[in-house]
Amino acid sequence: MVQDHQHQAHNGSKTVVLLAECLNGAIDAGRFAAKLLFDHSTRIILLHTYQKPAMGVTMMRDLTGVLRRTAEWDLTVLKSKLVREFELPPENIEKMVVENDLKSVLNNELSKHEHLSVVLGPDISNPFRRGSCRKIVRALVESKLRPVFLVSDFITLVEESRIIVIAEKEANISAVYLNFLNDIYGRENVMVEIVTEENNKTIRMNRKTSRHFSNRIHSSELRENSMEQIFYDRLVRASAV
């Protein structure tokens, strides 16, 4: 009981940043955060960044206001869904709209938070497809923050020294996606581990990642045969004390 209390106190300063940049996947990312990362003392920051478009001065002022109001509305809707669908306490959820590039915000404004993880629901089916969400994934992985959770048709965990991809079947993970991960990770010979329902591999957390997972995960709360369920079933946590 003493160890549990210490672990709970240690996790009291956890912060989960939920990127709303790829809004279509934000609910899937929110579900993952709510079911596997959230404890009642966890702080959740809903982050949306925007930048002035490269246009004339008058148009920039007009569009900047529109972009900010749109971002604020998107976060209001997202927060409402997290509270309603996943029963997260609204007082634990902070909305953050910042005019700057995402990588700068992550490294300069959010890296000061202790025990911080980032969750994103990228809505890219083809990682080579050019678009804003692809750029967001790149900026996130290139940031100094770890761990990073990418939640889509599978779950990708990015740690300081490795990448773990969790899927129902290995055939579902394309070579294109794995190459994309290696490319944006920016390190040669990065270790990529693949965990599926078909193999017997476990996910051995390092200490930094372990302290981000909830102390109150219940298997019954996870959707049967979901990526979250596979993730939960294969977790072997390191001591986070």
Side-chain angles (χ1 to χ4, degrees):
M1 291 296 291
V2 175
Q3 287 182 342
D4 288 345
H5 175 74
Q6 289 175 340
H7 187 57
Q8 181 67 44
H10 186 70
N11 271 1
S13 58
K14 281 196 313 181
T15 299
V16 177
V17 174
L18 175 56
L19 290 189
E21 318 287 289
C22 303
L23 194 61
N24 290 340
I27 288 298
D28 286 338
R31 179 187 299 108
F32 179 87
K35 299 302 183 185
L36 278 84
L37 304 179
F38 182 80
D39 292 306
H40 286 295
S41 57
T42 301
R43 177 189 187 192
I44 294 180
I45 298 176
L46 306 182
L47 175 63
H48 206 312
T49 62
Y50 67 97
Q51 291 181 276
K52 292 180 180 179
M55 293 182 177
V57 176
T58 302
M59 185 62 73
M60 279 197 304
R61 290 199 187 103
D62 293 340
L63 285 182
T64 297
V66 171
L67 290 172
R68 182 171 188 87
R69 288 192 296 272
T70 300
E72 289 173 344
W73 173 253
D74 286 344
L75 293 191
T76 298
V77 172
L78 178 58
K79 179 175 179 177
S80 176
K81 288 184 177 180
L82 293 176
V83 171
R84 183 177 65 253
E85 296 182 23
F86 307 123
E87 300 182 347
L88 295 179
E91 62 272 17
N92 288 50
I93 304 175
E94 172 187 340
K95 297 180 293 183
M96 184 175 180
V97 177
V98 183
E99 181 186 345
N100 206 340
D101 68 279
L102 175 60
K103 191 173 179 180
S104 295
V105 174
L106 292 173
N107 287 337
N108 299 331
E109 299 191 34
L110 291 176
S111 60
K112 62 186 178 182
H113 293 286
E114 190 178 14
H115 309 323
L116 183 143
S117 59
V118 187
V119 184
L120 173 68
D123 53 0
I124 49 174
S125 57
N126 182 352
F128 280 172
R129 192 182 90 190
R130 297 189 180 279
S132 60
C133 201
R134 181 179 184 274
K135 294 177 182 178
I136 290 163
V137 174
R138 179 180 292 278
L140 174 55
V141 176
E142 288 179 349
S143 76
K144 301 174 183 177
L145 302 180
R146 298 290 185 268
V148 167
F149 301 95
L150 305 176
V151 183
S152 58
D153 292 337
F154 25 84
I155 298 170
T156 303
L157 165 61
V158 181
E159 294 183 306
E160 293 177 348
S161 60
R162 65 176 180 171
I163 297 173
I164 302 174
V165 183
I166 300 94
E168 291 183 17
K169 299 179 180 180
E170 189 165 349
N172 294 346
I173 309 171
S174 69
V176 172
Y177 181 70
L178 295 178
N179 290 336
F180 171 70
L181 290 176
N182 276 281
D183 178 53
I184 62 177
Y185 198 75
R187 291 181 55 181
E188 293 184 0
N189 301 319
V190 60
M191 181 186 299
V192 178
E193 301 179 25
I194 297 176
V195 176
T196 71
E197 195 172 35
E198 302 167 313
N199 63 36
N200 295 318
K201 293 182 180 179
T202 55
I203 305 167
R204 295 189 173 274
M205 299 284 96
N206 62 31
R207 289 187 178 184
K208 184 174 181 180
T209 303
S210 286
R211 62 170 60 102
H212 290 280
F213 279 85
S214 173
N215 295 318
R216 61 178 191 86
I217 301 175
H218 299 293
S219 180
S220 59
E221 295 180 354
L222 303 176
R223 293 181 300 171
E224 188 176 0
N225 299 322
S226 65
M227 293 302 98
E228 293 96 336
Q229 181 72 57
I230 297 173
F231 206 148
Y232 172 80
D233 288 344
R234 302 301 178 85
L235 277 179
V236 178
R237 300 198 209 190
S239 172
V241 178

